[in-house]
Amino acid sequence: MSQEPHVIVPEHVPPVALAELGEGQQQKLDTIAHHVRGILSALGLDLKDPNLAETDLRVAKMYVEMFHGLAEGAEPKVTTFPNEEQYSHMVMEKQIPFYSMCAHHLVPFYGHAHIAYIPRDRILGLSKFARILEFYAKRPQLQERLTEQVVTYLEEKLQPLGAMVVIEARHLCVEMRGVKKPGALTVTSALRGIFHQKSVREEFLDLLRHG
Ligand SMILES: [Zn+2]
């Protein structure tokens, strides 16, 4: 992997700077806050309680941040580089942490993604894996769809020989309610191209376990 040129930049996307919100965003905050007040009232809570007095706006701001992937212009600017070294082995970024919100229940699911591809003509800066993941995670989401969206993005941007994404996550909607299975991990995978070959998948798993 040492022959792969890349630029190291911080992996974490900065949170939305609320001070920079435009008028449309302010309207969105007000609308969400209004509905949060409705929910709290329907639950019989006293909105004059000091702990609840500003909960509506706090939740609204939090939603805007957690669903930032939906905002216009949120898609990361991903530049690719020519594969000048003709690197033709697997590039893997593993244990990338993420937090998302289950589209069915609007409670968090979170865990790690392992993303790999085998380049053809273009390569990707390593920090970009986390940004792509973050972009698709910051919206009401399904783990299955998140996995597919990341692998599809890699395929479209890089046209690699192949790509594979594995996501392991805990779902609070499973752990806190219903069947209540604390600690259960949901694992999803999606693959393209040469990763359909068993030997390539085995290399992926080997790098995941030991690499
Ligand atoms: Zn759920």
Side-chain angles (χ1 to χ4, degrees):
M1 305 251 277
S2 56
Q3 57 178 299
E4 205 234 356
H6 66 272
V7 184
I8 304 223
V9 297
E11 284 191 355
H12 294 288
V13 179
V16 186
L18 290 166
E20 293 166 17
L21 292 178
E23 213 169 288
Q25 288 289 76
Q26 191 59 53
Q27 178 67 45
K28 192 186 289 179
L29 284 180
D30 291 344
T31 305
I32 298 170
H34 169 79
H35 289 292
V36 171
R37 284 197 298 281
I39 293 170
L40 296 174
S41 299
L43 291 170
L45 291 161
D46 175 10
L47 298 184
K48 291 196 229 47
D49 179 322
N51 288 309
L52 294 175
E54 293 179 30
T55 296
D56 55 348
L57 197 57
R58 276 193 295 267
V59 172
K61 286 176 177 173
M62 185 180 69
Y63 275 7
V64 168
E65 182 180 335
M66 291 195 304
F67 300 143
H68 181 55
L70 299 172
E72 210 174 305
E75 184 171 338
K77 313 269 176 291
V78 170
T79 27
T80 63
F81 303 94
N83 184 13
E84 284 168 351
E85 318 287 332
Q86 300 295 311
Y87 185 85
S88 59
H89 302 285
M90 197 173 298
V91 179
M92 176 188 275
E93 193 75 357
K94 64 182 186 178
Q95 300 287 0
I96 312 172
F98 75 92
Y99 293 86
S100 188
M101 291 279 267
C102 160
H104 295 157
H105 302 95
L106 288 189
V107 292
F109 70 97
Y110 63 97
H112 293 88
H114 318 292
I115 305 174
Y117 74 106
I118 298 177
R120 196 190 303 266
D121 300 326
R122 308 293 296 178
I123 56 172
L124 189 67
L126 291 186
S127 67
K128 295 300 187 285
F129 290 101
R131 288 185 176 260
I132 296 161
L133 178 68
E134 180 89 354
F135 170 61
Y136 288 113
K138 288 282 181 275
R139 61 187 69 193
Q141 186 56 287
L142 306 177
Q143 184 176 335
E144 296 88 336
R145 188 170 63 197
L146 177 61
T147 313
E148 278 293 331
Q149 283 175 329
V150 173
V151 86
T152 300
Y153 190 96
L154 290 177
E155 190 186 35
E156 288 175 358
K157 286 280 172 188
L158 295 171
Q159 285 150 4
L161 290 178
M164 182 162 174
V165 176
V166 170
I167 294 181
E168 302 174 293
R170 292 175 64 168
H171 289 250
L172 292 189
C173 60
V174 175
E175 301 197 20
M176 295 173 68
R177 51 174 286 287
V179 291
K180 290 205 176 83
K181 293 277 184 213
L185 273 184
T186 303
V187 184
T188 47
S189 68
L191 52 86
R192 297 287 188 274
I194 204 172
F195 281 80
H196 283 103
Q197 294 176 17
K198 191 160 180 258
S199 60
V200 179
R201 284 200 306 281
E202 278 169 357
E203 187 187 341
F204 177 98
L205 294 173
D206 203 46
L207 283 176
L208 193 53
R209 284 192 214 105
H210 312 293

